[in-house]
Amino acid sequence: MVKARARFQARVAKSALISGITGQDGSYLAELLLSKGYTVFGLVRRLSVPNLGNLRPIAERVTLIDGDLMDQSSLNAAVQKAAPDEVYNLAAQSFVGTSFVQPVLTGEITGLGVLRILEAVRAHAPHARVYQASSSEMFGHVDREPQDEMTPFHPRSPYGVAKVYGYWACINYREAHGLFVANGILFNHESERRGFEFVTRKISHGVAMIHVGRAKTISLGNLEAKRDWGYAPEYVDMMWRMLQQDIPGDFVGATGEAHSVEEFAAAAFEVAGIEDWKKHVVVDEKNFRPAEVYNLRGNPAKAKRALGWEPRTKFHDLVRIMVEADIAGLQAGTIPVRPVS
Ligand code: NAP
Ligand code: GDD
């Protein structure tokens, strides 16, 4: 264990390029890599209003490079500029619900975007190690439980289909071109930086809105869906560990426990001290998906064995972290008052 830690530390003073640095995982990963002494570059796309809130604590310490997963030349230029030892491809159209409404865009960014990253690395930094943000959504309609690295894929959304494409593109570049590419097949991980449309944040923010008297109900969809929810800062550590291995591989990251949306909601209202929670939840057809993933639960045994990685935050602690952060943020005016339906 001590030997392993020394080996990790001996390999610092590297540079990393993170796509998706403005998102939940990208911002936590940037903080982790800075703490290890990395020079951190982040790819950011042009938006009409900049979206750098998650980077506020480290704004002065990262170098942002303009680029878009839709645009090969910008990725080539970004890789050339960063000359990275490690590339973390976290950018994606990451919301499953939107992928049903914008399937082609999702395929372009979340699927083909991976290929564009791989092409940029192959041409301009072939020795760089690449992490690909693959997903448990690839398992989709599962026929066994828990899911591990050998479980077949049956994606249920354009997002899941695009992630399967990206996953296999990575393996192909490993086999065909000898690139060091590793897929993290991560189950849901959440935090106080989670996007507002994902169900956990929709609930934690909605409960906080009710708690401070700015809303009366939350509109949800399938309360029976089950997910394996972990805490995001712990999952970015797994990404880093995967790129410190001698041989690239694919790993499931999960807690091994599944809970339903209903359980999450009940726990969140309890944290806020709101009784009779069912009175505050409206089930609305518009929040259901054309094809649902009913039940995901991962087996992280390989990651534990080979990477020494293990999630620590338990389900009820995760709910508490998110609800308390949203209540505090609304009270301080640092989190927006938003519609909750
Ligand atoms: P997120 O918060 O939605 O962040 C997505 C990032 O991608 C944002 O920085 C976004 O930039 C960027 N992006 C979107 N389209 C882009 C484009 N065309 N070009 C460049 N950048 C673009 O997602 P996350 O939760 O951190 O997840 C990170 C990655 O892990 C994603 O690939 C996701 O699919 C995958 N994943 C997540 C989970 C999870 O539970 N969180 C589980 C498995 C896999 P803007 O700020 O400009 O929008
Ligand atoms: N978003 C949302 N909104 N989901 C709801 C709602 C609602 O009002 N009501 C019920 N759900 C159910 C969804 O139908 C789904 O079964 C479950 O809650 C989780 O939905 P999301 O939080 O949107 O996450 P996801 O599991 O679809 O996708 C997330 O996890 C994947 C890993 O499995 C995203 O982070 C993906 O990017 C990631 O790959």
Side-chain angles (χ1 to χ4, degrees):
M1 187 64 192
V2 173
K3 232 176 171 179
R5 197 172 305 130
R7 203 173 60 232
F8 288 144
Q9 282 165 356
R11 289 192 190 157
V12 293
K14 296 175 184 170
S15 69
L17 173 64
I18 304 174
S19 76
I21 194 168
T22 55
Q24 172 187 260
D25 290 6
S27 58
Y28 284 124
L29 178 65
E31 289 172 14
L32 178 79
L33 296 181
L34 286 170
S35 77
K36 293 181 183 297
Y38 279 63
T39 303
V40 175
F41 296 86
L43 187 82
V44 288
R45 58 178 171 165
R46 194 254 163 198
L47 296 175
S48 54
V49 179
N51 172 26
L52 303 176
N54 285 338
L55 298 180
R56 212 169 286 128
I58 52 169
E60 310 298 321
R61 301 173 61 206
V62 293
T63 303
L64 300 180
I65 304 176
D66 290 330
D68 197 302
L69 249 59
M70 303 279 284
D71 183 77
Q72 184 71 58
S73 63
S74 68
L75 300 180
N76 293 345
V79 169
Q80 282 178 290
K81 180 165 181 195
D85 298 296
E86 296 171 10
V87 175
Y88 295 86
N89 183 38
L90 307 187
Q93 190 304 92
S94 70
F95 186 48
V96 171
T98 292
S99 80
F100 287 103
V101 186
Q102 300 179 1
V104 177
L105 180 82
T106 303
E108 280 284 352
I109 299 174
T110 306
L112 269 181
V114 182
L115 195 66
R116 295 189 188 103
I117 289 277
L118 293 169
E119 274 295 285
V121 169
R122 185 166 80 95
H124 301 291
H127 299 297
R129 296 177 169 206
V130 180
Y131 173 89
Q132 165 57 16
S134 288
S135 165
S136 55
E137 272 291 308
M138 301 189 304
F139 298 128
H141 198 58
V142 296
D143 65 358
R144 65 197 72 178
E145 203 186 330
Q147 297 86 46
D148 64 19
E149 292 79 4
M150 302 309 290
T151 303
F153 299 145
H154 182 156
R156 293 273 279 177
S157 62
Y159 169 84
V161 171
K163 282 288 181 187
V164 172
Y165 178 88
Y167 170 90
W168 281 112
C170 289
I171 292 178
N172 179 247
Y173 272 56
R174 201 154 79 195
E175 293 175 354
H177 304 298
L179 296 192
F180 187 114
V181 192
N183 281 292
I185 308 173
L186 300 196
F187 284 64
N188 300 49
H189 44 279
E190 319 292 312
S191 74
E192 51 275 50
R193 294 186 191 171
R194 191 52 146 151
F196 288 95
E197 68 272 53
F198 299 95
V199 76
T200 54
R201 187 72 193 278
K202 194 172 168 184
I203 294 170
S204 66
H205 183 261
V207 166
M209 290 276 286
I210 295 168
H211 181 83
V212 300
R214 302 297 298 256
K216 290 201 165 22
T217 56
I218 311 175
S219 157
L220 294 172
N222 181 9
L223 299 182
E224 287 169 18
K226 286 187 168 176
R227 290 293 184 275
D228 179 329
W229 280 298
Y231 188 42
E234 294 165 9
Y235 286 60
V236 301
D237 174 54
M238 176 177 157
M239 299 174 186
W240 174 77
R241 284 172 189 250
M242 284 176 56
L243 295 198
Q244 314 314 309
Q245 302 307 298
D246 294 332
I247 299 168
D250 308 316
F251 292 88
V252 159
T255 69
E257 256 185 48
H259 295 271
S260 66
V261 172
E262 176 164 338
E263 283 176 85
F264 195 103
F269 278 102
E270 195 180 328
V271 169
I274 300 169
E275 287 173 8
D276 213 357
W277 68 270
K278 287 188 178 166
K279 276 199 322 209
H280 298 283
V281 170
V282 178
V283 173
D284 189 328
E285 213 40 54
K286 75 173 193 275
N287 295 311
F288 283 74
R289 291 173 180 172
E292 175 64 296
V293 172
Y294 295 103
N295 190 11
L296 291 176
R297 182 166 74 85
N299 175 2
K302 181 181 173 192
K304 188 174 175 185
R305 199 173 54 246
L307 307 176
W309 179 83
E310 221 175 341
R312 293 180 305 276
T313 303
K314 296 290 178 202
F315 175 73
H316 282 94
D317 295 325
L318 173 67
V319 177
R320 176 170 299 283
I321 290 168
M322 293 182 71
V323 172
E324 287 181 350
D326 276 332
I327 291 174
L330 281 174
Q331 286 169 340
T334 53
I335 285 178
V337 171
R338 298 166 48 101
V340 286
S341 60

